[in-house]
Amino acid sequence: MNVVIIGCGVVGAAIAYELSQVKGLNITVFEQKQPAQGSTSAALGVLMGVISHKTKGIAWRMRQSSIQRYETLIPELEGITGRKIPCNRQGIVMLLSENLERPLESGVEVLSEWEQLREIRQSQGWELQVWDQEQLQKYCPQISHPQIIGAVYSPQDLQLNATALTLALVDAAQRNGVNFKFGVSVTGTETPPPPPPTPLHIKKGLGEARKCNFIETTEGKVTADWFIMSAGLGSTALTAQLDQMVNIRPVLGQALYLSLGRSLGNPDFQPVITGNDVHIVPMGNGDYWVGATVEFPNHENQISASQELLDIVRQQAIAFAPELAAAKVLRTWSGLRPRPEGRPAPVIDKLPGFTNILLATGHYRNGVLLAPATATAIREMILPQDSRSN
């Protein structure tokens, strides 16, 4: 069976590696640039799974299965490839403040809501700790902010280097026989005419699904049994050619690399700290990533990085950890996140009207977190569960 994957960010690479473990698949990946060059290259890699408010349904199941898979996936990839995937396993600390949107809600009520989630997670086999101000100061003495009433600590969530992960996935998949075509663009797709509808389809007002047999690339025509679109923002144009456009719009995010020269707080306890949607990510040697902005395009779908918004993110980080005011900005960077328009993220489904085109795109801010679960979902859409080789 021939499988073509379009796009090699973290999601496309995870799908390639997952499918490479199935016997009998001939897999080719097309990427117009190099791997991990799109939104993956800018990702902070903060995996907020257990600490997420999602408690049921597919949104929680995907988070849970991905966090579980990362426990085995990272050492598995490091063992196969010899590559190091930088990973912070000291968890995530989420700072809590009294809810400014609901001013009548007290700090006690905020903590109570998190206690309820802690109990739910405990019943699901996961750990959360709810800290008051005293406990927060004990574990994270670098935090000093008058509105912070405590924190939630998730020791099983993690942060990793998304680019290193993606390159390791590519390396491991190549070792399993996957053919990666970098610098090759998909220029068009076959648009076969729909077959005449059956009486049942006419009654339901539906057209019959078609099969796509080939795509056009800068290296020529490529045929396959399955086509998987994991091209992020590039998915819009590809689906538009098939008259089934899935509208993926860009949301820009900017981040900073700060060097303080010393560790914040306890040098032996350096978790990711997050609050008010700003992440402080320890990188070792007194360096920290700080991000990220959320910047939407205008009506013409144009978007440009705002220095003002980046300054706000930096000032918020300093407000939480005042020592960061002395840190030097070594560099800034930005990336475009793929956000589906008018539907929830991500889009993992068959392309309407086609029997053999799968979508694995539009992960917005959770591409790294959900990559393993997405890869599993795609495998199960193509193959029975018992066909995976060990």
Side-chain angles (χ1 to χ4, degrees):
M1 187 184 291
N2 294 312
V3 178
V4 162
I5 301 169
I6 304 169
C8 194
V10 66
V11 173
I15 294 169
Y17 176 63
E18 179 73 21
L19 294 182
S20 76
Q21 298 170 81
V22 180
K23 291 177 180 176
L25 294 187
N26 179 30
I27 303 161
T28 306
V29 181
F30 291 95
E31 169 55 59
Q32 62 182 354
K33 299 177 183 175
Q34 290 297 308
Q37 292 293 298
S39 57
T40 300
S41 67
L44 296 180
V46 179
L47 310 185
M48 300 179 73
V50 180
I51 209 168
S52 156
H53 284 287
K54 308 292 186 183
T55 58
K56 57 186 178 181
I58 191 168
W60 163 244
R61 290 198 301 273
M62 288 191 70
R63 282 167 169 78
Q64 177 171 239
S65 64
S66 281
I67 293 293
Q68 287 171 330
R69 178 63 175 125
Y70 271 123
E71 287 299 310
T72 57
L73 181 62
I74 293 169
E76 183 179 308
L77 292 172
E78 290 182 335
I80 292 169
T81 67
R83 292 172 174 266
K84 180 67 177 169
I85 302 171
C87 180
N88 185 343
R89 294 188 177 276
Q90 294 194 307
I92 297 175
V93 173
M94 179 180 287
L95 305 177
L96 303 180
S97 59
E98 294 189 12
N99 197 320
L100 300 179
E101 295 178 1
R102 290 180 284 174
L104 297 179
E105 185 175 59
S106 70
V108 172
E109 289 170 312
V110 172
L111 292 172
S112 176
E113 287 181 11
W114 282 98
E115 283 287 358
Q116 291 173 24
L117 182 63
R118 184 192 65 77
E119 291 176 8
I120 292 170
R121 289 290 183 256
Q122 188 175 26
S123 71
Q124 295 169 330
W126 299 95
E127 181 185 358
L128 280 182
Q129 299 174 20
V130 180
W131 296 344
D132 59 21
Q133 283 176 310
E134 187 176 333
Q135 290 169 303
L136 175 60
Q137 280 300 299
K138 175 184 175 183
Y139 295 116
C140 300
Q142 68 269 37
I143 300 301
S144 177
H145 191 287
Q147 290 183 322
I148 299 300
I149 60 170
V152 178
Y153 176 50
S154 177
Q156 291 161 298
D157 282 326
L158 62 152
Q159 181 272 335
L160 52 79
N161 185 304
T163 298
L165 169 68
T166 303
L167 296 177
L169 287 164
V170 169
D171 190 345
Q174 283 177 321
R175 292 166 190 258
N176 287 344
V178 175
N179 185 19
F180 286 86
K181 296 276 193 176
F182 297 120
V184 178
S185 299
V186 175
T187 57
T189 51
E190 181 196 25
T191 52
T198 64
L200 179 62
H201 282 87
I202 293 172
K203 184 178 179 181
K204 291 185 176 181
L206 300 171
E208 194 164 326
R210 298 169 275 174
K211 183 178 181 182
C212 179
N213 294 309
F214 66 84
I215 57 172
E216 297 279 0
T217 77
T218 48
E219 285 194 346
K221 184 184 295 187
V222 177
T223 60
D225 301 290
W226 288 96
F227 297 93
I228 302 162
M229 294 188 181
S230 59
L233 291 166
S235 304
T236 301
L238 290 170
T239 55
Q241 291 174 5
L242 295 163
D243 299 321
Q244 293 286 349
M245 189 178 83
V246 177
N247 191 8
I248 310 290
R249 299 192 73 195
V251 178
L252 189 139
Q254 298 184 77
L256 306 117
Y257 193 111
L258 304 181
S259 180
L260 183 61
R262 63 181 186 278
S263 297
L264 291 168
N266 180 354
D268 296 322
F269 182 59
Q270 292 286 297
V272 173
I273 293 177
T274 184
N276 199 22
D277 213 18
V278 171
H279 303 313
I280 303 171
V281 182
M283 299 306 297
N285 300 316
D287 293 349
Y288 293 86
W289 282 350
V290 172
T293 64
V294 178
E295 304 175 50
F296 292 91
N298 59 23
H299 294 300
E300 286 78 43
N301 220 31
Q302 296 172 330
I303 191 166
S304 57
S306 165
Q307 182 62 47
E308 181 183 358
L309 291 177
L310 186 60
D311 290 341
I312 289 172
V313 166
R314 184 187 179 195
Q315 291 306 316
Q316 178 67 88
I318 291 171
F320 290 146
E323 289 175 74
L324 283 176
K328 296 178 182 177
V329 179
L330 295 189
R331 66 184 180 99
T332 63
W333 71 95
S334 65
L336 296 175
R337 312 175 183 100
R339 180 177 182 268
E341 185 77 5
R343 63 190 294 177
V347 181
I348 305 171
D349 205 352
K350 275 189 177 178
L351 182 67
F354 290 86
T355 59
N356 67 330
I357 300 178
L358 303 181
L359 300 168
T361 187
H363 286 71
Y364 190 27
R365 303 176 73 182
N366 287 312
V368 184
L369 170 61
L370 299 180
T374 301
T376 300
I378 291 296
R379 187 197 77 227
E380 291 175 355
M381 291 167 75
I382 290 177
L383 300 153
Q385 288 191 343
D386 60 358
S387 66
R388 185 182 179 194
S389 65
N390 294 317

